[in-house]
Amino acid sequence: MALIVQKFGGSSVANAERVMNVASIVADTYNAGNSVVVVVSAQGDTTDDLLDKANEINPKHSKRELDMLLSAGEQISIALLAMALEKLGCPVISLLGWQAGFNTNKNYTTARIKKIDTERVSSELDNKKIVVVAGFQGINKYDDITTLGRGGSDTSAVALAAALHADKCQIFTDVEGVYTTDPRKVPNAKKLQEITYDEMLELATLGAQVLNNRSVEMAKKYHVELEVLSSLKRVPGTIVKEATTLEKMLIRGVTKDSHVARVSVIALPDTPGIAFKLFSKLAAKNINVDIILQSVGRDGTKDITFTVDKDNAEHAKSAVLEAFPNMTDENFVIDSDIAKISVVGAGMETHPGTASQMFEALFEAGINIQMISTSEIKISVLVDAKDADKAVHAVHNEFFSED
Amino acid sequence: MALIVQKFGGSSVANAERVMNVASIVADTYNAGNSVVVVVSAQGDTTDDLLDKANEINPKHSKRELDMLLSAGEQISIALLAMALEKLGCPVISLLGWQAGFNTNKNYTTARIKKIDTERVSSELDNKKIVVVAGFQGINKYDDITTLGRGGSDTSAVALAAALHADKCQIFTDVEGVYTTDPRKVPNAKKLQEITYDEMLELATLGAQVLNNRSVEMAKKYHVELEVLSSLKRVPGTIVKEATTLEKMLIRGVTKDSHVARVSVIALPDTPGIAFKLFSKLAAKNINVDIILQSVGRDGTKDITFTVDKDNAEHAKSAVLEAFPNMTDENFVIDSDIAKISVVGAGMETHPGTASQMFEALFEAGINIQMISTSEIKISVLVDAKDADKAVHAVHNEFFSED
């Protein structure tokens, strides 16, 4: 009855047994009377193996040839999955990115989808075929193969679901859905039945690593209902959709991001335009800044503290030194031994007590808060790395232990 | 100056070191001022590995999906070779079969090239790029990927050379050229400088295994000058071209084919149309017959003996039984313990003594000849399998020892 797009990642099709497992999920969906489009990534380590081959020959290979190389990975998995579905007696056809109409801009390795010509996919669906599409790849105006970058298969699936006006886009992963916090670390973590796009975006950014951000943004933009669920265990997952149809929960989840560093720039001149000068320089160097805090320093100066990805801490320092050539090492304090703990939930918009409840939980656990940042649906605090797991437990217990 | 198509097989690009070796050959050709198109097969065992994956999942996979799967192999090797050429500072671009304009008929796994649209390749050559093309593959009218079957990359190279009106098509292999007989078995085997298309065709059919037959036929049809040479040792190879420009050598080579069986059908009725009935049945079953011999039998019957590929001997018997339902096992003698020894040379057309010279050599070596077959440029004899190598030596010595 429905048109469903199902996406399976590399680990879900890592070997023959897993491919057959995926085929049986797809076949069941098809045999229940649905039209099914399947988007698949390259098998397990294929992409890494191909990268190794490339780097062995020439680490400075062009991006065009890298895309030519890597896109062979999905080609292999779509053919194998189609063969598995043939074995189960299903009419099926596999299509490469270009055959499925994925037109991208010209950027190799980080291409953006411009348009999907759904003609071929639609006509195969009309012929009652299951259509298996290579994720992660498309074609540019030169008729050259492009790839969409990390997590690109999620984006392929959501974009195709949007273009086909599919009823649902199911993203199969190795977890059962989106949890209130990392279930491997916190035993009483709970699986969420539903979550809004915005909450999911905050969770994805904060390191929940279930769904690629671009794909969630796209799902939001085109109103594609997502479901995150397990390819190994057949239980309902987590639905990601518009807030309007969801009951607003106070808190959806608690996340930890340890890959963060705090950079303090001390004794900047207290004149207008200083912050602009500093952060525009960082932006020009493509360094993403997360939390920003400005305070008044001594003797008519000010201090600016911000957080960046751990890998970017030294780059950020160099960039600031370029902007302010008079500064020296004395003006910097960099701390990589920290973690960012966040709570996310659309409900807190209308619930002013959430922040204080979080801070109280941390205080009772004896954890010092270094920095605070809030958005309409998120509260993040910076703590010592050694306190991170304790902080997650404390905050999670605060919001989820009672039910 | 010249436009040269170079083809490298799977073993020539089996690993990073081999890929770099191929790149250096290509770069030298390019740096000498030539326009270069390179046709490459899948790396080493890639095709077999992919076949294993397919068979593990579903041995009864469709041919369409098999072509989708296998064509990923050349995709990997063209990208890697392009990266290797980038490392050597050469402007280069890799193209898949469909990007290079290979249009085939619709038959998966055994497609025939219908047309090559050379627009893209020509424009890349005009831009002074080395063009690396995936061999073995094309695209059919459904926009689906097809493959050309065994030895398909040779065919790709020759067809592209013909379409581009290339000056030469060089086929790089792991041997140094075409020899008068198997150099691994006969130490004084000699490399031929030149050979005609027809001679090469006879040698290929007879098991010399240097060049795929279809590619030689195509080279002959479109007057593409071929050169067979080594990718590992930089020495001149063997030129394959029109007879008109070659000195006609009496004998070009001596070959052995052990994969043959003799089927004798005894006591057939001696009435008109019997041979037609028998061989049309074999043709209908797609069984290729090589040598045919008919003799008068006893009591108004006749015997027909023919040779087929060893694998087809029992199929041939079944086919004959279908044509003549009254026959029994008594009417058949099948001998698989035989070998076919052939001498090939365009010169023998005008040299009637060749056959007797060959028979004399075999007689002096004490080898019994079971059957004889001759064409304008070939003489084949059937001998016991145990005598095969001795026969090759004796015949080769007869024609090549003196010089």
Side-chain angles (χ1 to χ4, degrees):
Chain A
M1 276 19 121
L3 169 54
I4 299 177
V5 174
Q6 301 186 314
K7 182 259 168 181
F8 296 89
S11 65
S12 297
V13 291
N15 55 42
E17 191 192 335
R18 293 266 180 103
V19 171
M20 285 310 307
N21 171 58
V22 167
S24 76
I25 294 173
V26 174
D28 287 351
T29 312
Y30 176 81
N31 291 331
N34 300 296
S35 294
V36 188
V37 176
V38 191
V39 174
V40 204
S41 306
Q43 287 190 293
D45 300 326
T46 306
T47 303
D48 289 336
D49 290 347
L50 290 173
L51 269 173
D52 287 348
K53 278 181 183 246
N55 289 328
E56 191 184 356
I57 286 172
N58 179 7
K60 291 178 182 162
H61 49 256
S62 66
K63 290 181 172 181
R64 181 196 184 273
E65 297 302 336
L66 185 65
D67 281 356
M68 176 67 93
L69 182 71
L70 295 186
S71 57
E74 292 82 38
Q75 183 163 346
I76 292 168
S77 46
I78 58 170
L80 294 176
L81 179 56
M83 289 174 180
L85 284 161
E86 286 172 352
K87 190 176 187 177
L88 300 180
C90 297
V92 60
I93 189 161
S94 69
L95 297 177
L96 295 164
W98 65 269
Q99 291 172 319
F102 279 81
N103 293 289
T104 74
N105 66 7
K106 63 182 166 50
N107 295 0
Y108 299 104
T109 72
T110 55
R112 294 258 160 182
I113 298 167
K114 284 174 67 179
K115 197 174 81 138
I116 303 181
D117 291 329
T118 56
E119 201 183 328
R120 174 86 191 256
V121 174
S122 296
S123 93
E124 301 292 354
L125 288 173
D126 289 345
N127 291 329
K128 300 291 171 210
K129 294 221 174 134
I130 295 171
V131 184
V132 179
V133 176
F136 181 67
Q137 58 180 241
I139 192 172
N140 67 15
K141 64 179 176 184
Y142 308 120
D143 265 5
D144 283 345
I145 292 173
T146 51
T147 68
L148 308 179
R150 283 271 157 204
S153 290
D154 284 356
T155 311
S156 300
V158 174
L160 194 50
L164 292 167
H165 305 289
D167 297 284
K168 193 190 274 192
C169 180
Q170 295 182 314
I171 309 283
F172 288 83
T173 68
D174 45 9
V175 296
E176 285 174 42
V178 182
Y179 281 77
T180 53
T181 194
D182 187 341
R184 288 164 304 185
K185 299 228 172 120
V186 182
N188 67 341
K190 286 169 186 60
K191 187 168 74 186
L192 297 164
Q193 283 187 291
E194 294 184 327
I195 188 171
T196 69
Y197 296 122
D198 287 334
E199 289 171 330
M200 189 67 224
L201 278 172
E202 292 285 8
L203 288 173
T205 316
L206 296 170
Q209 294 179 335
V210 177
L211 269 179
N212 170 262
N213 249 11
R214 241 165 98 194
S215 61
V216 180
E217 278 164 12
M218 191 178 283
K220 182 184 178 188
K221 185 169 171 190
Y222 295 103
H223 311 290
V224 175
E225 184 176 316
L226 291 178
E227 183 177 5
V228 178
L229 66 179
S230 166
S231 62
L232 299 172
K233 209 164 159 183
R234 301 238 191 149
V235 292
T238 300
I239 305 277
V240 189
K241 59 186 196 181
E242 292 293 356
T244 47
T245 63
L246 293 181
E247 188 200 354
K248 280 193 184 179
M249 255 175 86
L250 183 58
I251 298 296
R252 292 282 178 200
V254 182
T255 66
K256 176 184 82 167
D257 180 4
S258 299
H259 212 266
V260 64
R262 192 189 61 214
V263 180
S264 296
V265 190
I266 295 161
L268 283 156
D270 189 13
T271 52
I274 288 295
F276 168 72
K277 194 173 169 190
L278 192 156
F279 291 108
S280 63
K281 191 76 192 176
L282 292 173
K285 300 273 180 187
N286 244 327
I287 298 171
N288 267 326
V289 173
D290 186 21
I291 305 176
I292 297 173
L293 192 143
Q294 178 178 314
S295 53
V296 177
R298 296 173 191 184
D299 308 324
T301 64
K302 60 183 169 193
D303 303 341
I304 290 183
T305 301
F306 53 88
T307 60
V308 292
D309 189 276
K310 219 169 228 176
D311 296 337
N312 277 333
E314 288 299 326
H315 299 303
K317 182 177 165 184
S318 312
V320 175
L321 281 171
E322 272 183 44
F324 303 95
N326 293 331
M327 304 196 91
T328 66
D329 280 357
E330 301 278 301
N331 293 94
F332 292 88
V333 179
I334 294 181
D335 185 359
S336 298
D337 230 16
I338 54 172
K340 186 170 64 170
I341 311 299
S342 308
V343 295
V344 173
M348 69 175 73
E349 274 185 85
T350 52
H351 229 281
T354 313
S356 67
Q357 206 180 338
M358 181 186 187
F359 302 154
E360 186 183 3
L362 291 169
F363 167 72
E364 282 175 359
I367 295 164
N368 188 39
I369 299 172
Q370 301 187 6
M371 283 173 87
I372 297 169
S373 158
T374 60
S375 80
E376 286 170 344
I377 66 166
K378 180 187 77 170
I379 303 164
S380 296
V381 299
L382 226 55
V383 300
D384 272 357
K386 66 171 171 49
D387 292 333
D389 287 335
K390 196 163 66 164
V392 170
H393 274 87
V395 175
H396 190 265
N397 274 339
E398 177 68 27
F399 291 104
F400 294 102
S401 66
E402 62 275 16
D403 54 18
Chain B
M1 281 15 121
L3 169 55
I4 299 178
V5 175
Q6 301 187 314
K7 181 258 167 181
F8 296 89
S11 65
S12 298
V13 292
N15 54 44
E17 190 192 337
R18 293 266 180 104
V19 171
M20 284 311 306
N21 171 58
V22 166
S24 77
I25 293 173
V26 174
D28 287 351
T29 311
Y30 176 81
N31 292 330
N34 300 297
S35 295
V36 189
V37 176
V38 191
V39 175
V40 203
S41 306
Q43 288 190 294
D45 299 327
T46 306
T47 304
D48 289 336
D49 291 348
L50 291 173
L51 269 172
D52 287 348
K53 280 182 182 241
N55 289 329
E56 191 183 356
I57 285 172
N58 178 7
K60 290 179 184 161
H61 49 255
S62 67
K63 290 180 170 182
R64 183 199 181 270
E65 297 302 336
L66 185 65
D67 280 357
M68 176 67 91
L69 181 71
L70 295 186
S71 57
E74 290 82 37
Q75 183 164 347
I76 292 168
S77 46
I78 59 170
L80 293 176
L81 180 56
M83 291 174 180
L85 284 160
E86 286 172 352
K87 190 176 188 178
L88 300 180
C90 296
V92 61
I93 189 161
S94 69
L95 297 176
L96 295 164
W98 65 269
Q99 292 172 317
F102 278 80
N103 293 288
T104 73
N105 66 7
K106 62 182 166 50
N107 296 0
Y108 300 104
T109 73
T110 55
R112 295 257 159 183
I113 299 167
K114 283 174 69 180
K115 197 174 83 144
I116 303 182
D117 292 329
T118 56
E119 201 183 328
R120 174 88 192 254
V121 174
S122 295
S123 93
E124 300 293 354
L125 288 173
D126 289 345
N127 291 330
K128 301 292 171 209
K129 294 224 174 128
I130 295 171
V131 184
V132 179
V133 176
F136 181 67
Q137 57 180 239
I139 194 173
N140 67 16
K141 65 179 175 183
Y142 309 119
D143 267 5
D144 283 345
I145 292 173
T146 51
T147 68
L148 308 178
R150 283 269 156 203
S153 289
D154 285 355
T155 310
S156 300
V158 174
L160 194 51
L164 293 167
H165 305 290
D167 297 285
K168 194 190 274 191
C169 179
Q170 296 182 314
I171 309 283
F172 289 83
T173 68
D174 46 9
V175 297
E176 284 174 40
V178 182
Y179 281 77
T180 53
T181 194
D182 188 340
R184 287 166 302 185
K185 299 230 172 118
V186 181
N188 66 341
K190 287 170 184 59
K191 188 168 71 186
L192 296 164
Q193 283 188 290
E194 295 184 326
I195 188 171
T196 69
Y197 297 121
D198 287 335
E199 288 170 332
M200 189 67 224
L201 277 173
E202 292 285 6
L203 287 172
T205 316
L206 295 170
Q209 295 180 335
V210 178
L211 270 179
N212 170 262
N213 248 12
R214 241 164 98 191
S215 61
V216 180
E217 278 164 13
M218 192 178 281
K220 182 185 176 186
K221 186 169 169 189
Y222 295 103
H223 312 290
V224 176
E225 185 176 313
L226 291 178
E227 183 176 5
V228 177
L229 67 179
S230 166
S231 63
L232 299 172
K233 209 164 160 186
R234 302 238 191 150
V235 292
T238 300
I239 305 277
V240 189
K241 58 187 197 180
E242 291 292 354
T244 48
T245 63
L246 294 180
E247 186 201 356
K248 281 193 182 176
M249 257 176 85
L250 182 58
I251 299 296
R252 292 282 177 199
V254 182
T255 65
K256 177 184 82 168
D257 179 4
S258 300
H259 213 265
V260 64
R262 192 188 62 212
V263 180
S264 296
V265 190
I266 295 161
L268 283 155
D270 188 14
T271 52
I274 289 297
F276 167 73
K277 193 173 168 189
L278 192 156
F279 291 109
S280 63
K281 191 75 191 178
L282 291 173
K285 300 273 180 184
N286 245 328
I287 299 171
N288 266 327
V289 173
D290 186 21
I291 306 177
I292 298 172
L293 191 144
Q294 178 177 314
S295 54
V296 177
R298 295 171 190 185
D299 309 323
T301 66
K302 61 185 168 189
D303 304 342
I304 290 182
T305 302
F306 54 87
T307 60
V308 292
D309 189 276
K310 219 169 228 176
D311 296 337
N312 277 332
E314 287 300 326
H315 299 304
K317 182 177 164 182
S318 313
V320 174
L321 281 170
E322 273 184 43
F324 302 97
N326 292 332
M327 304 194 91
T328 66
D329 281 357
E330 302 277 303
N331 294 92
F332 292 89
V333 179
I334 295 180
D335 185 359
S336 298
D337 229 17
I338 54 172
K340 185 170 66 171
I341 311 300
S342 308
V343 295
V344 174
M348 68 175 73
E349 273 185 84
T350 52
H351 230 281
T354 313
S356 67
Q357 207 181 333
M358 180 186 187
F359 302 155
E360 188 183 359
L362 291 170
F363 167 72
E364 281 174 1
I367 295 165
N368 188 39
I369 299 171
Q370 300 186 7
M371 282 173 86
I372 298 168
S373 158
T374 61
S375 79
E376 286 169 345
I377 65 164
K378 179 187 80 170
I379 303 164
S380 297
V381 299
L382 226 57
V383 300
D384 272 357
K386 68 171 170 48
D387 292 333
D389 287 334
K390 195 163 66 165
V392 170
H393 275 88
V395 175
H396 191 265
N397 274 340
E398 176 69 27
F399 290 104
F400 295 102
S401 66
E402 62 275 15
D403 54 18

